[in-house]
Amino acid sequence: MEKQKLSVKNSITDYIEWLAQYGASADGGVTRLLYTKEWMDAQLAVKTEMSSFGLETRFDDVGNVFGRLSGTQSPDEVIVTGSHIDTVINGGKYDGAYGVLAAMLAIKQLKETYGAPKKTLEAVSLCEEEGSRFPMTYWGSGNMTGVFSVQDAGEPRDESGVSLQSAMYENGFGKGVFQSAYRTDISAFVELHIEQGKTLEMSGRDLGIVTSIAGQRRYLVTLEGECNHAGTTSMKWRKDPLATSSRIIHELLLRSEEQPDELRLTCGKITAEPNVANVIPGRVQFSIDIRHQHQHVLEQFHEDMAALINGICHQKGIRAMIDEYMRIEPVPMDERLKAAAFETAAENGISCEEMVSGAGHDAQMIGRCYPACMLFVPSRGGISHSPKEYTSARQLEIGVRALTDLLYKLAY
Amino acid sequence: MEKQKLSVKNSITDYIEWLAQYGASADGGVTRLLYTKEWMDAQLAVKTEMSSFGLETRFDDVGNVFGRLSGTQSPDEVIVTGSHIDTVINGGKYDGAYGVLAAMLAIKQLKETYGAPKKTLEAVSLCEEEGSRFPMTYWGSGNMTGVFSVQDAGEPRDESGVSLQSAMYENGFGKGVFQSAYRTDISAFVELHIEQGKTLEMSGRDLGIVTSIAGQRRYLVTLEGECNHAGTTSMKWRKDPLATSSRIIHELLLRSEEQPDELRLTCGKITAEPNVANVIPGRVQFSIDIRHQHQHVLEQFHEDMAALINGICHQKGIRAMIDEYMRIEPVPMDERLKAAAFETAAENGISCEEMVSGAGHDAQMIGRCYPACMLFVPSRGGISHSPKEYTSARQLEIGVRALTDLLYKLAY
C-alpha cells in the first residue's frame, strides 16, 4: 500500500515537500525519471491539484500537464509558465519542481484575487528536461515547439534497453489519445527556477533575471602518441599524449581568461591508456565544455582552440582528433519580458540582478520560438542535482511573488 | 600431451625460440609467471640443458637454477652470470630469457675451448624479477642477497588470492629441501639484457655498458577541489583539481628539462572523479615517476616538486596529498667490471657506449651487495614487455661474444 501523501499544504515549501514524496530517496533526494511509476504518480498528483485550484487540466500526447485559466479578451494569446517534473537520479527537491509548483500557486492566487485574466494563463508541468533516463533532453518543450515529435521516440533507449516509445506507450501517451504537444499559440513563456550556481548567494540578492541562456559546445579531444617504458625512453624521443594534454588544458584555461565577459571552460573528463604509473600513455582523451552568451565569442574560441591544439600536437609529434559532439546556440531572453520582470521586482522592492544562465533550461528550447524569460532564486552553496539542493522558504516565497506579479502584468 | 619442444639448437636465436615455447601465447608473446606450470617446465628445461652442457646444476630453495663450472684455483670466488626466467603477462621472448641463455652458452663455450676456469663460473636462471604475479619484485635476486627470505612469502597474494608461500610450496620450494638461496660467495655478477629503450638503435652501436641503474621514485598525487556544475559555476569560484593537475604536470615537465644529465619524468596514470564532461571534477589523482642516476638530483627534484605542487594548490584552494609509494636508490655498476667490459669490446671491435639503465634489473639488487655490471644489446624500436620485442640474430650473437670474453677475462 502506498503511504499517505501530505495533504495540508499552505506554502510553496509545503508543496515542495509534498511533491518530493513522489520518488523520494532514502537520503532526502528525489528520483523521478520520465515515464516511470514515480513520474506518472507525480504528474497525476499535479494534475489533480491543478484541478482543485479550479484550472482546466489536460495531458498532451507526450505527457506534459497543463492547468489553464482562460482569458476573457484574448483567450488565444496564451502565457505559459512552469518547468519540468522529472529529475536526475537522486536529484534535489527544487530543480524543475519549484517552477511547476510556483506556476500553479501563482495562477491560483491571481484567480482568487482578480478572477479571470484578459489573456489566457497556463501552468505547465513539462514531462522531461534532464535527459537522465533516455539519451535526449527537452522532450517536453521540444515537442511543444516542434523540434521533436512522437515519431522521434523509436530510437532512444534507456539503460535496460526500453525504447522511449514503449515507455511512452505504457503510460498511454504517443498514441493520439491526447492532443498533440505541438503549440502555435504561446505569446510568452516564463520559467522560475533555482539558480544552481552561487552568483545570487555571493551578491546577497534575491532574484536573478536571466538575460540569456549561454550557448554550449562540447568536444572530445583524442591525442595519440607512443606508448613506451617510463624508465628506458629518453625524454627527447617521447610522444607523450598526457604531457601534451596537460599543456593544452593549461594553455586553454589561460586563453579563456582573456575572453570578454566570462567564458566558462571545463575539462571534466580525462582518461589515459593504459593508465599505468610506469608506462608513458599511448592515448589520452579529454572533454572540453565551453559556454558563453555570445555566439561570436564561442565561434572565435572554437577557432583558436583548434589552432592551439593542432599547433602543440604538431610540434610534439602527437596525432590530435577534435570531435565536437554538442553545439547549442545561445538563446537571448525576450527584451519586453525582461523589462517587465525588472519593473515587477522594483515595484515589490525585491533585490535583483541580471545574469546569464550557464545551465540549459526549457526556456532555452521555447525561447527559440516564442518570447521567453527566466527568473532565478538563490541556491545554497550553488549546489544542485543533489539531495543537498536547498533554497530557504523566504527566498522561495519571493520568487513566487515575483512570478505572480509578472504574470499579472502580462495577462490582466 | 605436451607438444614436442624444439630439440636441435645451434645458435642463441635457436635457444631463444626454444625457451619461448614454454608459456607461448597465440600472438608470439610469452607468459611465464612465477611458480606456474609454464614457469616450472621452463626452469626444469633450463636445468636439464645446463646439465647437458656438463655443468653441475641445482635449484636453490626459492627455485633459482644454477649451472656451475668450478674453478681450479679459487673455487670459492664465484662469478655469476644470468638473468630471470619469468615474464610479464604476454611479454616478449628476450627480456630475461636472453641473459639466462647467453650465460649458459657462454660458459659452455668457455668450457669447451679452455676447460676449467681458475675462478668458479655459474650461470643462473633467476626465478622472478618482473612482479607480474605477486605484488613484489626481485624475488630471486632478493633472496640471494638476503633482502628477502622465504619467511617473507606469507603476505603477498596473486589476483586469485593464492599466497606466494603456497605457490612456492606447490613447486617443492621454501621447505628447506634445497639449499638456502642466500649467498656470500659472489665475487662478480654480470647480466646481459636487451636494452628495452632505443638509445643503441638511434646511435647504431651494438653494445651498451651500463654505468649505473637509475634510482626511481614513484608518487601518487591526490588533489581535492570542489565538484560543481560546469555551466553555473563562475570561473572565479572554481576549485578545479583537473585544471590544477594540468598546470602542475606541465610545469613539472618544464622543470625536469632543467635538470643535469636527463631526469626522466612520467605521469602515466590519471583519474578524475566523477569524470563527466559537464561536471567540474571534485578529485583528481595522478602518478609521477622520476628516474635519475644521481641520488642528489632525485632528492633535490623531490623537494622542488613538493614545493611546486603545494604552492600551486595553496593558491588555487585545492587540497594536495603527495604519497611517495616507491623509492629505489640508484645503483652504480662496479668500476673494475665496467673497465673490463670496455676492454673486451675494444679487443673484439664491438661498437659500444656507456649508458644509464632507466629500468630496474636483477643487477640492481645484486649490485648493492656485490660488484655487478650489465651489458645491453639493442631492442628494435625500444619495444619491450610486448610480443613485438625483437633483437636481430647478429646483435644477439655480439652480446654473447662480449659476455663470453668478459667472463674469460674475469675467470681464467
Side-chain angles (χ1 to χ4, degrees):
Chain A
M1 236 184 62
E2 191 135 346
K3 74 173 180 196
Q4 190 68 33
K5 305 289 181 193
L6 273 176
S7 56
V8 181
K9 304 175 288 286
N10 293 310
S11 64
I12 179 68
T13 316
D14 291 344
Y15 274 94
I16 294 275
E17 294 302 328
W18 165 72
L19 193 56
Q21 295 175 104
Y22 296 89
S25 66
D27 57 353
V30 183
T31 304
R32 275 194 307 264
L33 306 185
L34 178 63
Y35 300 144
T36 58
K37 182 174 184 315
E38 296 74 24
W39 174 92
M40 188 64 182
D41 287 348
Q43 217 38 340
L44 284 167
V46 162
K47 187 168 180 289
T48 303
E49 201 69 21
M50 284 176 173
S51 296
S52 80
F53 292 177
L55 307 181
E56 286 168 64
T57 64
R58 67 179 182 89
F59 274 113
D60 68 16
D61 204 31
V62 295
N64 294 319
V65 164
F66 296 89
R68 182 179 175 105
L69 183 63
S70 286
T72 50
Q73 288 184 12
S74 313
D76 295 340
E77 288 183 44
V78 185
I79 294 150
V80 181
T81 178
S83 189
H84 59 94
I85 187 85
D86 71 313
T87 69
V88 298
I89 294 169
N90 205 22
K93 298 174 181 174
Y94 303 85
D95 183 352
Y98 174 52
V100 171
L101 297 168
M104 291 159 56
L105 290 175
I107 297 178
K108 173 177 187 267
Q109 201 191 321
L110 289 170
K111 177 172 173 284
E112 286 170 1
T113 316
Y114 306 106
K118 288 178 188 159
K119 295 181 187 173
T120 295
L121 282 170
E122 282 188 16
V124 63
S125 176
L126 292 161
C127 61
E128 196 278 339
E129 185 257 9
E130 299 286 4
S132 20
R133 179 171 176 192
F134 298 97
M136 35 74 64
T137 50
Y138 307 114
W139 183 241
S141 51
N143 271 279
M144 279 175 69
T145 51
V147 170
F148 297 133
S149 79
V150 291
Q151 275 72 48
D152 299 319
E155 262 322 285
R157 287 177 188 274
D158 71 7
E159 286 206 341
S160 12
V162 177
S163 76
L164 174 56
Q165 187 176 58
S166 72
M168 182 168 69
Y169 282 3
E170 257 177 46
N171 286 271
F173 303 115
K175 302 171 180 170
V177 174
F178 301 98
Q179 197 181 313
S180 160
Y182 183 55
R183 300 285 292 257
T184 54
D185 57 350
I186 298 172
S187 67
F189 178 72
V190 184
E191 183 173 8
L192 176 60
H193 205 281
I194 56 165
E195 184 199 333
Q196 304 180 278
K198 51 183 183 180
T199 305
L200 291 171
E201 185 177 71
M202 299 298 277
S203 71
R205 297 198 179 90
D206 290 320
L207 195 71
I209 295 170
V210 175
T211 54
S212 176
I213 300 179
Q216 293 184 35
R217 299 193 188 187
R218 281 191 210 157
Y219 307 85
L220 187 64
V221 181
T222 306
L223 302 190
E224 285 179 359
E226 248 176 46
C227 187
N228 245 321
H229 192 297
T232 59
T233 312
S234 168
M235 296 306 280
K236 56 184 178 291
W237 299 319
R238 295 186 178 206
K239 295 180 181 174
D240 179 344
L242 185 50
T244 306
S245 295
S246 299
R247 178 170 161 198
I248 288 171
I249 295 170
H250 176 58
E251 293 200 12
L252 282 177
L253 282 160
L254 293 178
R255 199 72 69 92
S256 76
E257 289 173 12
E258 299 161 8
Q259 302 307 308
D261 305 317
E262 184 180 79
L263 183 132
R264 290 184 183 157
L265 187 150
T266 307
C267 298
K269 192 172 175 174
I270 190 163
T271 53
E273 291 170 30
N275 211 34
V276 172
N278 60 341
V279 177
I280 302 162
R283 186 181 150 103
V284 169
Q285 285 196 311
F286 60 94
S287 63
I288 300 175
D289 174 306
I290 56 173
R291 310 201 190 197
H292 199 275
Q293 68 265 43
H294 298 306
Q295 174 65 8
H296 68 274
V297 174
L298 287 170
E299 193 54 39
Q300 186 60 52
F301 197 83
H302 171 104
E303 298 295 330
D304 292 353
M305 186 177 80
L308 185 140
I309 293 173
N310 290 323
I312 292 175
C313 288
H314 179 75
Q315 184 190 333
K316 294 289 178 188
I318 300 276
R319 188 160 162 251
M321 284 143 288
I322 307 173
D323 173 28
E324 179 185 317
Y325 68 94
M326 185 194 278
R327 179 186 287 219
I328 300 171
E329 307 302 355
V331 176
M333 297 288 93
D334 182 70
E335 289 297 334
R336 194 183 56 92
L337 293 176
K338 265 191 311 188
F342 271 105
E343 276 171 36
T344 304
E347 286 158 16
N348 283 280
I350 299 171
S351 61
C352 69
E353 67 185 295
E354 281 195 351
M355 55 196 302
V356 171
S357 171
H361 290 288
D362 288 306
Q364 183 171 17
M365 188 56 96
I366 297 177
R368 284 188 203 149
C369 307
Y370 301 110
C373 82
M374 282 200 85
L375 306 176
F376 280 166
V377 294
S379 300
R380 187 170 67 189
I383 294 166
S384 180
H385 286 186
S386 153
K388 292 184 188 155
E389 208 171 75
Y390 177 78
T391 301
S392 74
R394 184 190 145 274
Q395 291 165 329
L396 293 173
E397 294 288 356
I398 292 174
V400 175
R401 197 165 79 228
L403 176 66
T404 309
D405 288 356
L406 176 59
L407 295 176
Y408 176 80
K409 202 179 280 288
L410 299 175
Y412 284 82
Chain B
M1 236 186 61
E2 192 136 343
K3 75 172 175 195
Q4 191 67 33
K5 307 289 183 192
L6 273 176
S7 57
V8 182
K9 302 176 288 286
N10 294 308
S11 65
I12 179 68
T13 315
D14 291 344
Y15 275 94
I16 294 274
E17 294 303 326
W18 165 73
L19 192 56
Q21 295 173 106
Y22 296 88
S25 66
D27 57 353
V30 183
T31 304
R32 275 193 307 263
L33 306 185
L34 179 63
Y35 301 143
T36 58
K37 181 175 186 318
E38 295 74 26
W39 174 92
M40 189 63 181
D41 288 348
Q43 213 45 335
L44 285 167
V46 163
K47 186 166 181 289
T48 304
E49 201 69 19
M50 285 176 172
S51 296
S52 80
F53 291 177
L55 307 180
E56 286 168 65
T57 64
R58 67 177 181 93
F59 274 112
D60 69 16
D61 205 31
V62 296
N64 294 320
V65 164
F66 297 89
R68 181 179 175 105
L69 182 63
S70 288
T72 51
Q73 290 185 12
S74 314
D76 295 341
E77 286 183 44
V78 186
I79 294 149
V80 181
T81 178
S83 188
H84 59 95
I85 188 85
D86 71 314
T87 69
V88 298
I89 293 170
N90 206 22
K93 298 172 182 175
Y94 304 84
D95 183 352
Y98 174 53
V100 171
L101 298 168
M104 291 160 56
L105 291 175
I107 298 178
K108 174 179 187 265
Q109 201 192 321
L110 289 170
K111 176 172 175 281
E112 287 169 0
T113 315
Y114 305 106
K118 289 179 187 157
K119 296 181 187 173
T120 295
L121 282 170
E122 281 188 18
V124 63
S125 176
L126 292 161
C127 61
E128 197 279 337
E129 185 256 12
E130 299 286 3
S132 20
R133 180 171 176 190
F134 298 97
M136 36 75 62
T137 50
Y138 306 114
W139 183 240
S141 51
N143 271 279
M144 279 175 68
T145 50
V147 170
F148 298 131
S149 80
V150 291
Q151 276 72 49
D152 299 319
E155 261 323 285
R157 286 177 189 275
D158 70 7
E159 286 206 340
S160 10
V162 176
S163 75
L164 174 56
Q165 187 175 57
S166 71
M168 184 168 66
Y169 282 4
E170 257 176 48
N171 286 269
F173 303 115
K175 302 171 181 171
V177 174
F178 300 99
Q179 197 182 311
S180 160
Y182 183 55
R183 300 285 292 258
T184 53
D185 58 350
I186 298 172
S187 68
F189 178 72
V190 183
E191 184 173 8
L192 176 59
H193 205 281
I194 57 166
E195 184 200 333
Q196 304 180 276
K198 51 184 183 181
T199 305
L200 291 171
E201 185 177 72
M202 299 299 275
S203 71
R205 297 197 179 91
D206 290 320
L207 195 71
I209 295 171
V210 175
T211 54
S212 174
I213 300 180
Q216 293 184 36
R217 300 194 186 187
R218 282 194 209 154
Y219 306 86
L220 187 65
V221 181
T222 305
L223 302 190
E224 286 180 358
E226 248 177 45
C227 189
N228 246 321
H229 191 297
T232 59
T233 312
S234 169
M235 296 306 280
K236 55 183 177 290
W237 299 319
R238 293 185 178 206
K239 294 179 181 174
D240 179 344
L242 185 49
T244 306
S245 295
S246 298
R247 179 172 160 195
I248 288 170
I249 294 170
H250 176 59
E251 293 199 12
L252 283 176
L253 282 161
L254 292 178
R255 199 71 69 92
S256 76
E257 288 173 14
E258 300 161 6
Q259 303 306 309
D261 305 317
E262 184 180 80
L263 183 131
R264 290 186 183 154
L265 186 150
T266 307
C267 298
K269 192 171 176 175
I270 188 164
T271 54
E273 291 171 31
N275 211 34
V276 173
N278 61 340
V279 176
I280 303 162
R283 184 181 153 103
V284 169
Q285 285 196 313
F286 60 94
S287 62
I288 300 174
D289 174 306
I290 56 173
R291 310 200 190 197
H292 200 274
Q293 66 265 44
H294 297 307
Q295 174 65 9
H296 69 274
V297 174
L298 286 171
E299 192 54 40
Q300 186 61 52
F301 197 83
H302 170 104
E303 298 295 330
D304 292 353
M305 187 176 79
L308 185 142
I309 293 173
N310 291 323
I312 293 176
C313 287
H314 179 74
Q315 184 191 333
K316 294 288 178 187
I318 300 277
R319 189 161 162 250
M321 282 142 290
I322 307 172
D323 172 30
E324 181 185 315
Y325 68 94
M326 184 194 279
R327 180 185 287 217
I328 300 171
E329 307 302 356
V331 177
M333 297 290 93
D334 183 71
E335 288 297 334
R336 194 182 57 93
L337 292 177
K338 266 191 309 187
F342 271 106
E343 276 170 38
T344 304
E347 287 158 15
N348 283 280
I350 299 171
S351 61
C352 68
E353 66 185 295
E354 280 196 351
M355 53 196 303
V356 172
S357 172
H361 290 288
D362 289 305
Q364 181 170 17
M365 185 58 94
I366 298 177
R368 285 189 203 147
C369 306
Y370 301 110
C373 82
M374 282 200 85
L375 305 178
F376 280 166
V377 294
S379 300
R380 188 172 64 190
I383 295 166
S384 181
H385 286 187
S386 153
K388 292 184 190 155
E389 206 170 76
Y390 177 77
T391 301
S392 73
R394 185 189 146 273
Q395 291 166 329
L396 293 172
E397 294 289 356
I398 291 174
V400 175
R401 196 166 79 229
L403 176 67
T404 308
D405 287 356
L406 176 58
L407 294 176
Y408 176 82
K409 201 179 281 286
L410 299 175
Y412 283 83

